[in-house]
């Protein structure tokens, strides 16, 4: 062992899956007290690398050195014993267990007589959650928490281990700006205590803020090693895609016409309290607000998932009341859900089966599936969204996280809905696919469809919306022209009740 050796060195790591070399001689050095970004487009091999580093799978070849000594990470337990904690892209929490039990899962403290030490579970969990500055009770049932809170529990689990290396695969995909800032602060604290951190994210703005160095992968190979690319969004994007991607937010200003949907004083048991807004034909209406402000609940109310306990919805001037989501789909409304892992995919289907799942009526004639229509439509969308061609050869559970998300988006673009509610549509997808989604949004609004966009990425929300409705505690009281709203305004508006300090308000 030597003092100058990196904490961890991964040398020429290769890993193949049937039909694809997911990691091809990847080299990464992780230093103590440093945050190292691992970046690249969907399917480039980031999660594969992370599974190897955390002992979930063995590399086909390559060497691993810990403080200069060659080691083998023989399994997840061995990784943990070596001080490696991982927050995986797929959640690994158990929804029916308490927050404390999840934090100590696999490592449950017991008393001398083998009895579970509940007091320790709860007090230690409370300590970690307090250190993270999050307001979650250790005895809460994890499945009852919001997606963002569940993500924070995942992170708490890694922190409770007091690891010397922590790996985070897309930790912020389900977090709002405030929670991201909280997480960053936590990572900075860990860095100053000497922890090595490996960080994967498609939110390049936050990568730019937090990382010290980056390794960029393309097609399983390192195309830019630490120190070779400046920590700057444009430079990183160029290295990721191997060229210039052009405008990041290619918003088209299409004609905005009559009101197609009017929501007045919506209320639901799930927390919508007085949401009033309208949506025009050809418009993108952004819903801005902090995590837990009720944006997803408003989407669910519009889509007939949560029953209204008050207020009314008018569609093309006629009052409607959806009994369930099928009724909303039939009326021409589509929802791309936020939690695609659990709400969105049929994991045993191939891509095309998933894409056409919402529009079987349109592609079946006299009760038979029109396979030619299905193939043509899905092929076009898969190309536009750059979904991995492997998606047709395998069921979707074998695809990378980002490719799975693109498939759920494609499904709703394939359906013939007039109103699309997109809840965090670009979460976890790479910059190229994000731009493809933006262009599809342009094409949809150009064709006279309307979009409700929910996004925690404020830059995206402001750039891609025509108007922004500010959601606060489940209520919408003002809708503002997106051009009149700055990033700071949006942050302040979402946390304050004062509706008077923002110019450019549109009367409701
Ligand atoms: N279990 C598996 N079986 C077969 N192929 C797999 C498996 N896991 C990943 N792959 C393939 O390996 C390649 C790399 O996938 P990986 O999940 O590492 O990508 P990623 O960089 O994490 O992408 P994303 O940003 O979308 O999460 C992809 O082509 C993927 O389809
Ligand atoms: Mg991944």
């Amino acid at each position: 062992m030597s003092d100058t050796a990196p904490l961890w060195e991964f040398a020429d790591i290769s890993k193949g899956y049937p039909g694809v070399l997911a990691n091809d001689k990847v080299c990464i050095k992780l230093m103590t007290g440093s945050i190292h970004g691992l970046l690249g487009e969907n399917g480039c091999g980031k999660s594969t690398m992370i599974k190897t580093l955390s002992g979930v799978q063995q590399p086909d070849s390559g060497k691993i050195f810990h403080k200069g000594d060659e080691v083998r990470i023989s399994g997840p337990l061995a990784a943990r014993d070596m001080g490696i904690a991982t927050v995986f892209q797929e959640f690994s929490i158990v929804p029916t267990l308490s927050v404390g039990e999840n934090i100590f899962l696999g490592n449950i403290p017991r008393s001398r007589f083998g009895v579970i030490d509940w007091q320790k579970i709860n007090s230690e969990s409370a300590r970690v959650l307090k250190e993270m500055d999050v307001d979650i009770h250790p005895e809460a049932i994890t499945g009852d928490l919001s997606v963002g809170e569940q993500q924070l529990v995942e992170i708490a689990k890694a922190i409770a281990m007091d690891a010397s290396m922590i790996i985070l695969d897309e930790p912020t995909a389900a977090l709002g700006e405030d929670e991201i800032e909280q997480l960053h602060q936590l990572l900075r604290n860990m860095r100053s205590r000497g922890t090595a951190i490996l960080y994967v994210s498609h939110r390049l703005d936050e990568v730019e803020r937090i990382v010290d160095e980056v390794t960029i992968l393309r097609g399983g190979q390192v195309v830019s090693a630490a120190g070779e690319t400046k920590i700057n969004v444009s430079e990183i994007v160029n290295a990721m895609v191997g060229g210039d991607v052009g405008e990041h937010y290619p918003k088209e200003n299409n004609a905005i016409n009559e009101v197609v949907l009017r929501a007045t004083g919506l209320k639901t048991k799930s927390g919508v309290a007085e949401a009033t807004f309208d949506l025009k034909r050809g418009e993108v209406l952004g819903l801005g607000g902090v995590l837990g402000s009720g944006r997803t609940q408003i989407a669910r109310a519009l889509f007939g998932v949560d029953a209204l306990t008050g207020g009314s919805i008018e569609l093309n001037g006629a009052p409607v009341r959806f009994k369930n989501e099928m009724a909303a789909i039939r009326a021409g409304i589509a929802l791309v859900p936020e939690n695609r892992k659990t709400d969105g995919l049929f994991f045993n289907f191939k891509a095309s089966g998933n894409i056409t799942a919402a529009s079987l009526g349109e592609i079946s004639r006299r009760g038979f599936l029109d396979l030619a229509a299905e193939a043509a439509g899905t092929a076009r969308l898969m190309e536009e969204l750059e979904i991995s061609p492997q998606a047709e050869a395998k069921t979707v559970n074998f695809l990378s996280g980002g490719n799975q998300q693109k498939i759920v988006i494609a499904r709703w673009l394939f359906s013939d809905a007039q109103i699309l509610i997109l809840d965090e549509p670009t979460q976890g997808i790479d910059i190229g696919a994000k731009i493809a989604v933006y262009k599809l949004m342009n094409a949809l609004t150009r064709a006279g469809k309307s979009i409700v966009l929910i996004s925690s990425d404020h830059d995206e929300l402001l750039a891609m919306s025509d108007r922004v409705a500010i959601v606060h505690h489940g209520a919408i009281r003002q809708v503002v022209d997106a051009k009149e709203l700055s990033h700071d305004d949006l942050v302040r508006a979402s946390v304050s009740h004062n509706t008077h300090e923002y110019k450019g308000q549109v009367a409701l």
Side-chain angles (χ1 to χ4, degrees):
M1 154 168 173
S2 92
D3 278 348
T4 50
L7 182 65
W8 286 96
E9 178 174 356
F10 304 93
D12 293 321
I13 300 289
S14 293
K15 175 74 189 174
Y17 297 116
V20 54
L21 187 51
N23 284 152
D24 184 4
K25 296 209 164 89
V26 174
C27 299
I28 301 179
K29 288 180 187 163
L30 298 173
M31 315 304 286
T32 54
S34 173
I35 304 179
H36 193 121
L38 179 61
L39 308 177
E41 298 188 282
N42 296 128
C44 71
K46 302 178 296 293
S47 297
T48 303
M49 191 66 197
I50 285 172
K51 284 178 195 148
T52 304
L53 309 193
S54 38
V56 172
Q57 64 190 13
Q58 292 301 311
D60 298 338
S61 61
K63 289 186 170 170
I64 300 177
F65 300 92
H66 182 41
K67 296 180 179 166
D69 296 330
E70 187 172 350
V71 294
R72 185 165 165 264
I73 306 173
S74 56
L77 288 179
R80 192 163 73 191
D81 290 344
M82 291 179 193
I84 303 173
T86 307
V87 176
F88 289 100
Q89 190 170 15
E90 295 84 22
F91 282 5
S92 54
I93 48 173
V94 182
T96 49
L97 295 183
S98 74
V99 168
E101 284 171 294
N102 267 298
I103 291 177
F104 283 97
L105 199 67
N107 196 19
I108 296 276
R110 288 178 193 270
S111 72
R112 270 198 301 145
F113 307 106
V115 180
I116 293 180
D117 188 346
W118 286 105
Q119 208 185 343
K120 185 160 182 212
I121 290 182
N122 289 330
S123 64
E124 275 298 291
S125 305
R127 183 186 62 74
V128 172
L129 293 165
K130 183 157 185 290
E131 184 189 331
M132 291 172 66
D133 203 15
V134 298
D135 190 18
I136 299 176
H137 199 277
E139 289 177 73
I141 297 300
T142 316
D144 293 343
L145 304 176
S146 72
V147 183
E149 289 168 330
Q150 294 184 17
Q151 179 69 76
L152 292 171
V153 172
E154 287 273 359
I155 293 164
K157 207 167 129 180
I159 287 170
M161 280 178 51
D162 211 9
S164 58
M165 169 159 85
I166 173 160
I167 304 174
L168 302 112
D169 196 352
E170 289 280 351
T172 56
L175 301 186
E177 300 246 340
D178 286 356
E179 289 77 16
I180 292 178
E181 198 34 61
Q182 257 175 33
L183 173 66
H184 281 187
Q185 198 44 51
L186 205 70
L187 294 178
R188 287 189 198 103
N189 294 344
M190 291 163 79
R191 169 173 65 189
S192 62
R193 289 200 296 261
T195 312
I197 297 162
L198 186 68
Y199 196 79
V200 173
S201 173
H202 289 290
R203 297 275 301 267
L204 297 179
D205 53 334
E206 53 132 333
V207 165
E208 187 184 74
R209 294 206 299 269
I210 190 75
V211 304
D212 300 304
E213 49 192 355
V214 291
T215 294
I216 300 173
L217 302 180
R218 200 186 317 139
Q221 295 179 335
V222 174
V223 289
S224 170
E228 287 176 12
T229 298
K230 254 208 253 130
I231 312 292
N232 162 287
V233 173
S234 310
E235 309 246 343
I236 290 172
V237 169
N238 290 348
M240 265 170 61
V241 303
D244 197 346
V245 295
E247 176 59 63
H248 288 197
Y249 298 108
K251 169 76 174 151
E252 233 173 55
N253 289 310
N254 296 311
I256 293 173
N257 303 289
E258 76 285 358
V259 169
V260 288
L261 181 140
R262 190 184 299 280
T264 314
L266 300 188
K267 286 194 182 62
T268 65
K269 283 202 183 112
S270 59
V272 179
E274 208 60 53
T276 297
F277 59 94
D278 56 27
L279 174 69
K280 296 175 181 154
R281 191 152 69 83
E283 176 181 51
V284 178
L285 177 73
L287 299 189
V290 294
L291 192 81
S293 58
R295 294 164 305 171
T296 294
Q297 285 69 23
I298 291 174
R300 288 167 60 93
L302 289 180
F303 196 53
V305 185
D306 295 344
L308 294 183
T309 52
S312 59
I313 301 174
E314 268 178 34
L315 202 59
N316 302 315
V320 288
R321 196 140 192 139
F322 303 130
K323 272 214 249 28
N324 50 37
E325 26 200 307
M326 269 328 285
I329 293 172
R330 266 187 237 115
I333 300 184
L335 172 74
V336 176
E338 166 189 35
N339 191 0
R340 285 177 278 262
K341 278 285 169 202
T342 52
D343 292 349
L345 283 170
F346 303 111
F347 282 99
N348 315 328
F349 281 39
K350 291 180 180 175
S352 54
N354 271 287
I355 293 173
T356 54
S359 32
L360 288 179
E362 281 154 44
I363 55 159
S364 59
R365 307 251 181 278
R366 291 189 298 265
F368 292 102
L369 275 184
D370 183 344
L371 293 175
E374 171 178 306
T378 58
R380 179 179 57 81
L381 277 166
M382 285 176 63
E383 194 183 314
E384 271 178 82
L385 288 171
E386 295 172 18
I387 293 172
S388 160
Q390 293 177 37
E392 264 311 78
K394 303 177 187 173
T395 54
V396 297
N397 48 332
F398 291 118
L399 295 178
S400 79
N403 277 299
Q404 291 179 350
Q405 304 202 10
K406 291 187 205 175
I407 287 170
V408 180
I409 296 169
R411 172 192 306 165
W412 294 110
L413 298 175
F414 189 73
S415 80
D416 197 27
Q418 277 304 307
I419 296 173
L420 288 102
I421 308 168
L422 309 179
D423 196 353
E424 306 284 359
T426 64
Q427 228 173 50
I429 64 176
D430 65 46
I431 181 87
K434 279 183 187 169
I435 294 174
V437 169
Y438 302 146
K439 290 189 173 153
L440 282 163
M441 285 170 64
N442 284 338
L444 292 163
T445 49
R446 208 185 308 132
K449 302 189 180 206
S450 309
I451 295 175
V452 176
L453 172 66
I454 300 175
S455 172
S456 296
D457 183 335
H458 288 172
D459 292 334
E460 167 181 288
L461 190 76
L462 289 173
M464 293 310 298
S465 303
D466 296 296
R467 290 185 303 150
V468 176
I470 299 190
V471 184
H472 191 256
H473 291 315
I476 296 177
R477 296 201 179 83
Q478 61 171 345
V479 181
V480 184
D481 193 327
K483 287 194 199 67
E484 306 281 345
L485 204 62
S486 74
H487 193 285
D488 275 4
D489 287 341
L490 186 56
V491 175
R492 259 180 288 131
S494 3
V495 294
S496 97
H497 256 313
N498 189 342
T499 54
H500 301 298
E501 48 190 285
Y502 308 100
K503 45 188 171 58
Q505 293 183 33
V506 176
L508 288 166

